[in-house]
């Protein structure tokens, strides 16, 4: 289709979106005239579901339209000149990308949403292109009519000078609710359960308003709720919301409404599933029409996550796919909270269970009722989902008014509460004495085993103290097992007490491991203690390794690349010699596995048991970033604004892993392999494939256990470029030899894959590390395989950097530029993205909690200036 015809089809599509029924047909007949093919092309785009939302199964709609002749489509006129300055991308989802923009006229920063198809980045039928501009426009119109402090305000819906549809809204600074729930569950970063419950209550209040306006969100989940730095709470992303329902307030309307008399306009077509499965009620998973009870269920799922520390229908640490979660929803309810969080208050468990009832009729009748119960818990009043009645009301009154209750005296208490009250207090006290101490000790010991204690001589006393506490608990295991048997045999036993005793034994079983004492947490900590006791001799002071260090330190001091670097022997590392190609020195990291061996050609031979190999990079001054201007340093025709300007960065020498961390190395460190593409998923996958589906927080914790760190963004780009100033550190025609990206192999491995490069790298999935050629520093897979986390928060290159490692320090002074402290920077292209995403300067902002099958880690390590533990 020619560009002119494409534009005409798009003009007619947008105009038809404003019309319905016979009016649409008459208008199309007039506009298309005798051009039957033109009308057919428009009608293919206008195939709609019962919501009136276009279903675009064909090619994505790449650009929005200018107004058709005879009147403005959607009442939008293009701006005569560009009003907003784009400062970078903040986030993206299935339908659109959120850009950070500056409005010079009002001197404020805003968020601008554009569809992915308008950016030319639609990726398949599920993308924003295939969802259609009608849904995009409807999202703006719905959000703009929801005038509530808990819903982000929309400022403008318009067309830019190129004719692309956008809408702007308040720029929300803060963090996603998922991060808040995680911190509150762990009691980290000042977040508590009570504080998080206050956030959920405000979500309920915002949703109660939306429901009163006849709007159902249908995709309410933690990532669609933002919590600001000053206590603001915003419900975001109304892209799949349904408007037009009955409510107490004036209803919301959109340009896709079919008409007041058409009931089908209120529902998605039967069998269509919209929304995110992890927060989806059973009726939505079955593809049935949903109303406000679906959003009630979603808030219940948030409370479930707060109490259990995991999402419904997922095991601890698991990241189940959407199809797996949908299958589990249809099979039955998630695991009971009483099993996953036996210490959680019974009132909160009752609230979550009622909100997540399998049938809509069993849930709270409204968001207001759910908000009221959350408020009742926070204020010490009776929670209706838990229990009601005079005795319950009295107990809550006493808890709130202790002085007044004491004045009433024992007589009033005896009259109202009687003997049952005394028995309850007595049973609670006995329960705490008998069970509480060891239960909480076991929980603390179990959770603290994952603390990032590096296995160094200085940490030996910490390991010894932990082992003493764990062994004392295990010495009482038989006593606790007997108590559980007695409780289970007693018909009147408190179910919560039984569950707590089972949880205690679960902690003890995990500590002890198998019958032979292997596989347990206790054995793992003992092994780390033993490693800490021997690491000094194995890596520095033993006669053989000391000689190797003397040779290495002398060679490095005289090496021209290292400019006289005086390297001291490093605890936990063993010299492997200089790489025969790069000439840079390489070192085995002992705690992550066995030292690598060199083959006859001098290249490393890797096995699943091989540990990390760290390359000593010399540092120095390098030009970071890129420019689209030809003839300039670091010229890159695909350069984007968030890669500007090119600037010099000075780095001190440091260690960086020669390869991405493997699945075998991660599993040895953490005890599990979280990767999606792991051995057994496909014949070509091995334990040497890179670990993936690891979040920023996962990587920080795992690397801290090994005495390692994430590389800064500056260190990563310096290592990737390896002294080059081109988009790739190799000739672009040889990229298939150096980088595993979305190529012809990927197309063959994933039927229907599109947007791939013409070369062939030989791997459909990510490849075993070291399979492709290294760069000039001897580093493998910098341009592909998996994207890699870096330490930096996402921000402008005009912000200051820390001397030595180049870490971005964020806003410093009045000339500070944009900064997103709740996003981290990802570098290097994943195997399922084309080469333009793997350029040396390409950078992307990622929520630190994200896990993805194309996202992994390459560890770094600081240089110890002096020998020490």
């Amino acid at each position: 289709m020619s560009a002119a015809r494409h534009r005409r089809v798009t003009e007619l599509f947008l105009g038809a979106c404003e019309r319905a029924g016979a009016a649409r047909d008459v208008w199309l007949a007039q506009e298309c005239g005798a051009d039957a093919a033109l009308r057919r092309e428009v009608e293919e785009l206008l195939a709609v579901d019962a919501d009136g939302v276009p279903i675009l199964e064909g090619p994505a709609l790449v650009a929005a339209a200018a107004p058709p002749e005879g009147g403005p489509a959607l009442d939008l006129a293009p701006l005569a000149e560009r009003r907003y300055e784009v400062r970078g991308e903040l986030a993206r989802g299935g339908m659109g990308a959120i850009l950070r923009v500056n409005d010079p006229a009002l001197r404020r920063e805003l968020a601008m949403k554009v569809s992915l198809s308008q950016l030319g980045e639609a990726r398949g039928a599920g993308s924003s292109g295939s969802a259609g501009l009608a849904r995009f426009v409807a999202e703006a119109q719905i959000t703009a009519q929801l005038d509530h402090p808990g819903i982000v305000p929309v400022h403008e819906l318009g067309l830019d000078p190129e004719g692309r549809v956008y809408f702007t809204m308040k720029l929300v600074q803060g963090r996603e609710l998922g991060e808040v729930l995680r911190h509150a569950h762990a009691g980290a970063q000042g977040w508590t359960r009570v504080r998080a419950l206050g956030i959920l209550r405000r979500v309920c209040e915002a949703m109660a308003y939306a429901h009163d306006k006849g709007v159902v969100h249908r995709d309410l989940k933690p990532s669609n709720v933002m919590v600001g730095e000053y206590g603001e709470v915003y419900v975001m992303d109304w892209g799949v919301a349904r408007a037009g329902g009955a409510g107490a307030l004036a209803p919301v309307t959109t340009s896709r409404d079919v008409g007041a008399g058409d009931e089908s306009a209120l529902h998605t077509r039967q069998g269509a599933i919209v929304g995110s499965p992890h927060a989806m009620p059973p009726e939505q998973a079955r593809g049935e029409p949903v109303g406000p009870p679906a959003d009630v269920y979603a808030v219940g799922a948030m409370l479930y996550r707060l109490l259990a520390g995991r999402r419904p229908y997922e095991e601890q640490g698991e990241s189940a796919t959407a199809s797996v979660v949908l299958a589990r929803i249809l099979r039955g309810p998630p695991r009971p909270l009483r099993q996953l969080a036996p210490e959680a208050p019974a009132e909160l468990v009752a609230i979550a269970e009622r909100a997540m009832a399998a049938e809509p009729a069993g849930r709270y009748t409204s968001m207001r009722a759910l908000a009221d119960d959350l408020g009742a818990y926070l204020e010490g009043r009776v929670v209706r989902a838990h229990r009601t009645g005079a005795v319950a009301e009295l107990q809550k009154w006493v808890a709130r008014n202790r002085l007044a209750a004491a004045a009433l005296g024992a007589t009033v208490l005896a009259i109202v509460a009687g003997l049952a009250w005394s028995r309850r207090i007595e049973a609670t006290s006995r329960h705490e004495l008998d069970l509480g101490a060891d239960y909480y000790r076991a929980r603390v010991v179990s959770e603290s085993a994952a603390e990032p204690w590096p296995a160094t001589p200085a940490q030996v006393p910490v390991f010894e103290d932990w082992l003493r506490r764990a062994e004392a608990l295990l010495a009482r295991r038989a006593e606790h097992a007997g108590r559980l048997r007695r409780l289970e045999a007693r018909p009147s036993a408190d179910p919560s007490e039984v569950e707590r005793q089972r949880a205690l034994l679960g902690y003890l079983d995990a500590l002890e491991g198998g019958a032979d004492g292997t596989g347990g947490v206790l054995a793992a900590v003992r092994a780390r203690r033993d490693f800490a006791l021997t690491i000094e001799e194995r890596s520095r002071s033993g006669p053989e390794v000391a000689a190797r260090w003397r040779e290495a330190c002398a060679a490095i001091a005289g090496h021209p690349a290292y400019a006289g670097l005086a390297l001291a022997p490093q605890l936990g590392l063993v010299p492997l010699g200089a790489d025969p190609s790069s000439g840079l020195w390489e070192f085995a990291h002992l705690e992550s596995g066995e030292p690598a061996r060199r083959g006859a050609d001098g290249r490393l031979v890797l096995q699943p048991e091989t540990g990390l190999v760290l390359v000593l990079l010399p540092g120095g001054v390098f030009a970071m970033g890129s420019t689209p201007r030809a003839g300039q340093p670091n010229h890159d025709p695909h350069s984007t604004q968030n890669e500007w300007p090119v600037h010099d960065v000075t780095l001190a020498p440091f260690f960086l892993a020669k390869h991405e961390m493997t699945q075998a190395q991660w599993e040895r460190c953490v005890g599990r392999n979280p990767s999606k593409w792991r051995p057994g998923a496909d014949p070509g996958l091995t334990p040497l494939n890179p670990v993936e589906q690891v979040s920023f927080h996962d990587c920080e914790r795992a690397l801290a256990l090994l005495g390692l760190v994430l590389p800064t963004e500056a260190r990563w780009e310096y290592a990737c470029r390896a002294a080059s100033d081109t988009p790739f550190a190799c000739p672009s025609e040889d990229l298939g030899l150096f980088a595993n990206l979305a190529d012809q192999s990927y197309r063959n491995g994933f039927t229907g894959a599109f947007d791939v490069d013409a070369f062939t790298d030989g791997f459909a999935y990510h490849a075993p590390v070291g399979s492709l050629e290294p760069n000039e520093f001897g580093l493998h897979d910098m341009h592909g395989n998996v994207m890699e986390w870096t330490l930096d928060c996402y921000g402008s290159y005009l912000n200051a950097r820390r001397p030595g490692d180049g870490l971005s320090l964020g806003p410093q002074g009045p000339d500070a530029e944009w900064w997103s402290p709740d996003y981290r920077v990802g570098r290097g292209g994943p195997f399922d993205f084309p080469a333009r995403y793997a350029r040396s300067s390409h950078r992307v902002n990622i929520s630190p909690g994200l896990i993805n099958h194309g996202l992994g880690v390459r560890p770094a390590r600081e240089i110890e200036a002096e020998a020490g533990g």
Side-chain angles (χ1 to χ4, degrees):
M1 185 186 299
S2 68
R5 189 169 182 84
H6 186 146
R7 185 172 182 83
R8 181 57 178 155
V9 170
T10 311
E11 289 174 355
L12 293 172
F13 165 74
L14 284 175
C17 284
E18 282 287 87
R19 296 162 176 84
R24 173 182 294 164
D25 293 337
V26 171
W27 184 81
L28 277 176
Q30 293 172 346
E31 294 294 324
C32 297
D35 193 341
L38 176 63
R39 179 167 181 174
R40 186 165 56 252
E41 290 165 4
V42 176
E43 287 175 338
E44 286 175 357
L45 291 178
L46 288 168
V48 297
D49 63 16
D51 262 333
V53 180
I55 308 167
L56 306 183
E57 302 294 353
L61 188 63
V62 175
E69 297 178 7
L74 303 174
D75 296 324
L76 304 178
L79 296 171
E81 58 185 24
R82 188 172 301 281
R83 174 177 176 179
Y84 301 105
E85 299 171 355
V86 177
R87 295 291 179 87
E89 184 176 312
L90 294 171
R92 66 175 55 206
M95 292 182 64
I98 308 294
L99 307 179
R100 188 185 192 118
V101 299
N102 179 259
D103 183 351
L106 294 176
R107 299 187 179 184
R108 64 176 177 177
E109 291 204 329
L110 302 171
M112 173 187 286
K113 186 163 187 176
V114 294
S115 68
L116 292 180
S117 62
Q118 291 177 296
L119 295 177
E121 298 183 14
R123 294 180 62 85
S127 69
S128 62
S130 58
L133 287 176
R135 190 177 289 278
F136 182 83
V137 170
E139 177 187 358
Q141 293 173 331
I142 289 172
T143 312
Q145 294 173 73
L146 296 176
D147 185 13
H148 187 275
I151 299 172
V152 64
V154 167
H155 300 311
E156 179 184 34
L157 171 65
L159 298 172
D160 68 10
E162 287 77 34
R164 297 176 300 188
V165 180
Y166 69 87
F167 65 88
T168 58
M169 51 192 166
K170 175 183 173 66
L171 177 64
V172 178
Q173 304 276 21
R175 63 185 74 197
E176 293 180 357
L177 179 59
E179 184 180 353
V180 169
L181 298 179
R182 184 176 63 254
H183 290 324
H185 178 75
Q189 297 193 14
W191 283 98
T192 64
R193 179 184 289 163
V194 168
R195 190 178 172 195
L197 289 172
I199 300 296
L200 293 183
R201 184 183 184 183
R202 293 174 68 180
V203 171
C204 292
E205 291 166 349
M207 289 309 307
Y209 169 81
H211 291 171
D212 281 350
K213 294 280 286 183
V215 176
V216 181
H217 193 287
R218 298 201 297 183
D219 195 21
L220 193 58
K221 56 186 177 181
S223 61
N224 284 340
V225 177
M226 292 294 295
V227 181
E229 295 297 325
Y230 300 97
E232 318 97 298
V233 179
Y234 292 105
V235 179
M236 313 283 288
D237 200 347
W238 298 78
V240 297
R242 178 180 63 78
L249 305 175
V252 166
T253 60
T254 71
S255 60
R256 76 179 192 221
D257 290 341
V258 189
D262 190 344
E263 292 297 329
S264 68
L266 306 182
H267 305 290
T268 300
R269 72 187 188 279
Q270 187 73 15
I273 299 174
V274 296
S276 301
H278 294 91
M280 185 179 290
E283 68 271 18
Q284 194 169 352
R286 292 191 294 266
E288 299 172 2
V290 298
D295 291 340
V296 170
Y297 184 100
V299 176
M302 296 177 190
L303 178 56
Y304 183 105
R305 183 173 179 179
L306 171 64
L307 300 177
R310 68 181 74 171
R311 296 187 291 190
Y313 301 101
E314 280 190 346
E315 296 302 317
Q316 189 66 40
E318 180 188 25
S319 179
T321 63
S323 58
V324 169
V325 174
L326 284 171
R328 291 174 182 174
I329 293 173
L330 296 175
R331 278 202 302 267
R335 288 182 62 187
L337 275 171
R338 290 184 176 87
Q339 294 179 9
L340 300 178
E343 81 291 351
E347 291 99 329
L348 293 181
V349 173
I351 293 173
E353 289 178 343
R354 182 169 178 185
M356 295 181 68
E359 295 300 325
R363 298 173 204 152
Y364 285 95
T365 56
S366 68
M367 274 291 184
R368 291 182 188 276
L370 175 51
D372 287 346
D373 251 5
L374 289 172
Y377 175 81
L378 292 171
E379 296 163 10
R381 296 183 283 107
V382 171
V383 173
R384 299 294 173 180
H386 184 234
R387 55 185 179 142
T388 59
V391 174
E393 295 284 0
L394 177 63
Q395 290 175 358
K396 290 294 183 181
W397 182 86
V398 170
R400 296 194 307 270
N401 303 275
R402 295 188 182 278
L403 293 177
L408 289 177
T411 303
V412 174
L413 287 175
I415 294 172
V416 180
L419 188 59
W421 179 270
S422 300
R423 287 175 179 170
R424 180 175 179 83
I425 297 300
E426 180 183 356
T428 301
S429 299
R430 186 169 60 251
H431 172 73
E432 294 298 327
L433 289 172
D434 291 345
L435 176 62
D438 268 6
Y439 169 77
Y440 287 106
R441 288 189 193 107
R443 181 178 178 185
V444 169
V445 165
S446 297
E447 293 177 353
S448 63
E451 289 296 315
W453 304 323
T456 62
Q459 293 294 329
V460 169
V462 176
F463 289 124
E464 296 284 8
D465 176 67
W466 186 94
L467 288 168
R468 280 194 298 271
R469 289 184 287 142
E471 288 163 354
L473 285 166
L474 286 172
R476 297 191 290 274
R477 191 192 185 289
E479 178 184 349
H480 283 296
R483 183 170 185 274
L484 176 60
R485 289 193 295 271
R486 292 191 298 274
L487 283 171
E488 291 175 333
R490 188 190 310 158
S492 60
D494 185 342
S496 64
E497 189 175 358
V498 175
E499 290 301 324
R500 191 176 299 236
Q501 190 70 8
R502 288 174 180 161
L504 168 58
L505 288 169
Y507 285 129
L508 298 182
D509 288 343
L511 288 174
E512 192 170 36
D516 58 354
T518 61
V521 177
L522 186 71
V525 175
R526 280 178 179 154
R528 300 194 68 230
R529 186 269 315 270
D530 294 344
F531 182 90
L533 287 169
T534 62
I535 186 58
E536 171 66 33
E537 180 179 4
R538 293 173 58 193
S539 65
R540 288 199 300 209
S541 63
E544 181 182 346
V545 74
R548 294 173 68 176
W549 270 112
R550 285 193 294 272
E551 176 191 355
C553 293
I556 290 167
H559 196 299
Y562 294 118
L565 174 65
L567 183 72
Q570 306 287 299
L571 183 70
L573 303 187
V574 171
L576 294 174
D579 180 87
S581 299
S582 72
L584 299 181
W585 272 75
E586 298 176 339
F587 300 81
H589 181 268
L590 295 184
E591 192 171 3
S592 58
E594 296 297 320
R597 307 288 182 185
R598 293 197 184 275
D601 59 355
R603 301 186 68 164
L604 296 175
V605 178
L606 304 182
Q607 301 293 336
E609 61 272 16
T610 303
L612 290 161
V613 175
L614 300 182
V615 180
L616 178 60
L617 297 182
V621 181
F622 87 105
M624 183 175 180
S626 64
T627 176
R629 297 178 181 175
Q632 298 293 317
N634 291 6
H635 168 242
D636 186 338
H638 288 101
S639 178
T640 59
Q641 190 173 11
N642 72 338
E643 301 167 22
W644 309 341
V646 176
H647 57 293
D648 285 343
V649 178
T650 303
L651 298 175
F654 64 100
F655 294 103
L656 186 68
K658 186 178 182 73
H659 312 98
E660 292 158 336
M661 193 170 188
T662 70
Q663 296 179 22
Q665 291 162 353
W666 183 277
E667 189 165 10
R668 278 195 294 274
C669 171
V670 177
R672 63 181 183 85
N673 181 2
S675 305
K676 176 179 180 179
W677 301 115
R678 53 186 171 183
D682 184 86
L685 299 170
T686 77
L688 288 175
N689 280 69
V691 69
E692 23 94 349
Q693 294 204 140
V694 288
S695 71
F696 175 88
H697 305 295
D698 294 335
C699 294
E700 270 200 318
R701 181 173 294 273
L703 298 188
L705 287 169
L706 299 174
L708 303 171
V709 295
L710 286 163
T712 64
E713 188 181 9
R715 282 177 166 177
W716 191 98
E717 185 171 329
Y718 163 74
C720 179
R721 286 190 177 279
S724 68
D725 65 353
T726 52
F728 301 97
C730 63
S732 57
E733 62 270 18
D734 294 336
L735 196 57
L737 302 175
F738 289 82
N740 177 16
L741 295 163
D743 68 322
Q744 299 305 310
S745 306
Y746 174 71
R747 184 193 296 277
N748 295 336
F750 292 84
T751 303
F754 58 96
D755 195 15
V756 302
D757 293 313
F759 61 82
T760 298
D761 56 44
F763 297 95
Y765 304 88
H766 46 61
V769 301
S771 298
L772 299 172
E773 293 298 312
N775 68 10
E776 292 297 316
F777 283 168
L779 304 170
H780 292 268
D781 304 318
M782 296 297 295
H783 284 304
N785 228 21
V786 291
M787 183 176 285
E788 299 167 12
W789 287 106
T790 68
L791 187 59
D792 296 61
C793 293
Y794 185 69
S796 168
Y797 279 166
L798 296 178
N799 292 321
R801 293 190 177 277
R802 188 167 66 188
D805 65 358
L807 180 72
S808 178
L809 297 176
Q812 304 281 312
D815 298 326
E817 284 286 323
W818 53 272
W819 176 251
S820 301
D822 290 321
Y823 290 90
R824 302 289 170 157
V825 178
R827 287 299 201 118
F831 68 94
D832 55 350
F833 273 62
R836 64 179 178 274
Y837 296 99
R839 298 174 291 107
S840 298
S841 59
H842 181 260
R843 57 202 297 257
V844 61
N845 57 317
I846 311 176
S847 172
L850 177 71
I851 56 174
N852 183 273
H853 64 258
L855 185 57
V857 60
R858 182 186 301 267
R861 174 169 158 153
E862 306 293 349
I863 293 176
E864 292 179 359
E866 299 291 340

